[in-house]
Amino acid sequence: MATKLGKKAELTSVLVEAPASALWTIGSAGSAKTAMLEVSITEGTNNAVEKSDFIAAAHRLLCDELPGLEPIAYVILKEVPAENWGYDGQTQAARRIGKT
């Protein structure tokens, strides 16, 4: 996140959830090994090249950490409007205003 998307490492949080294998399938192959990484970023803070580079690097990291991972491992970037999320009681939009 910090390297490819220019995010502050100290403000980056990570949650790993592992569903039971019976709850995750790829097509009809219920025993296939896969993963999904879902990342939220503030809308408009990264360009298409940065997002593409991040997705490629994140997929490589998943493959390195999870040997035998199926190619159908997803990396999803969700762009959230700045006024729709924040931390410490302040939206990202309000933080931008404070910096101008």
Side-chain angles (χ1 to χ4, degrees):
M1 297 280 300
T3 303
K4 296 295 182 185
L5 296 176
K7 306 305 180 194
K8 294 179 180 178
E10 66 273 15
L11 299 177
T12 300
S13 64
V14 176
L15 170 65
V16 177
E17 296 178 314
S21 60
L23 300 175
W24 186 285
T25 63
I26 300 173
S28 61
S31 62
K33 190 174 185 180
T34 192
M36 181 175 77
L37 173 63
E38 199 170 313
V39 176
S40 295
I41 60 174
T42 304
E43 185 176 55
T45 58
N46 294 96
N47 64 41
V49 171
E50 291 167 333
K51 291 184 280 189
S52 178
D53 288 351
F54 173 78
I55 289 170
H59 189 267
R60 280 192 304 274
L61 179 63
L62 287 172
C63 290
D64 290 347
E65 294 299 318
L66 302 168
L69 191 66
E70 291 291 324
I72 307 170
Y74 295 97
V75 177
I76 302 165
L77 280 176
K78 289 185 172 184
E79 290 193 278
V80 181
E83 63 274 4
N84 289 2
W85 80 319
Y87 63 92
D88 196 22
Q90 206 174 16
T91 67
Q92 298 294 74
R95 290 179 185 288
R96 285 184 181 165
I97 292 169
K99 291 183 177 182
T100 58

